Amino acid sequence: MTVYTTIDSPLGELLLVGEESATATGGTALTSLSLPGQKGGAVVLDGWTRDEEAFETIAAQLRSYFSGNLTHFDIEYSTGAGTEFQRKVWDALDTVPYGTTTTYGRLAEQLGLSRAAVRALGTAIGRNPLLVVRPCHRVIGADGSLTGYAGGLESKRRLLDLESA
């Protein structure tokens, strides 16, 4: 069963979507975390159930992150989203430490991809359904510029400022 809730954050109202999970702390595996105005963000669909309790553990971690007290999320993600390549890229995002950034080129190199594959890597990052918790905001341009964030560059800047990256 798909459940959802919304929570307030410094970035605006976040939409959390998940699936019941016997193995997830709190009983919910996160499927999507969307920001207001996000390009390609989730929208509530018929048949979904609003359930704030299902997201108590996740919401508590997000509040702690936004208050500067949490540097690593312990959240189970739903499986099955994305292509094999996208999942490989998304897993690599989870290795970028809090308070740091990396470039698209360095991430491609870490994954053993050619320079020609950097565009495909960027597209995969742009399809990340778990903004904030899967830290695609930590990937920047080779020249240090902020580039391509589905939640908007202002949100990316705010997240990096929060992490002092």
Side-chain angles (χ1 to χ4, degrees):
M1 174 171 66
T2 301
V3 293
Y4 76 95
T5 195
T6 57
I7 65 166
D8 289 328
S9 82
L11 303 176
E13 187 176 71
L14 305 179
L15 172 63
L16 308 179
V17 181
E19 299 287 334
E20 292 179 345
S21 170
T23 57
T25 303
T28 302
L30 192 62
T31 302
S32 174
L33 189 160
S34 298
L35 277 61
Q38 176 183 330
K39 184 173 100 176
V43 294
V44 176
L45 300 176
D46 289 340
W48 290 7
T49 303
R50 185 175 189 100
D51 186 349
E52 292 178 14
E53 280 185 26
F55 294 94
E56 282 181 359
T57 301
I58 295 168
Q61 288 186 53
L62 285 163
R63 282 190 294 275
S64 185
Y65 168 79
F66 284 120
S67 68
N69 297 317
L70 183 76
T71 61
H72 177 78
F73 291 99
D74 183 20
I75 296 172
E76 182 178 311
Y77 306 144
S78 296
T79 58
T83 66
E84 182 179 338
F85 177 74
Q86 287 170 333
R87 288 189 302 270
K88 180 179 174 182
V89 170
W90 298 341
D91 286 345
L93 291 173
D94 286 329
T95 69
V96 182
Y98 180 94
T100 68
T101 58
T102 192
T103 65
Y104 293 91
R106 283 196 302 256
L107 201 58
E109 185 178 299
Q110 175 185 331
L111 290 168
L113 303 174
S114 70
R115 296 296 285 171
V118 171
R119 185 175 300 255
L121 176 124
T123 300
I125 291 171
R127 297 241 165 81
N128 172 18
L130 297 165
L131 298 191
V132 182
V133 297
R134 184 182 286 141
C136 56
H137 59 275
R138 297 179 189 152
V139 183
I140 60 173
D143 63 358
S145 64
L146 299 187
T147 58
Y149 187 61
L153 293 182
E154 177 59 28
S155 292
K156 185 172 189 165
R157 164 57 48 211
R158 291 182 77 179
L159 291 168
L160 292 174
D161 286 349
L162 170 73
E163 297 181 4
S164 297

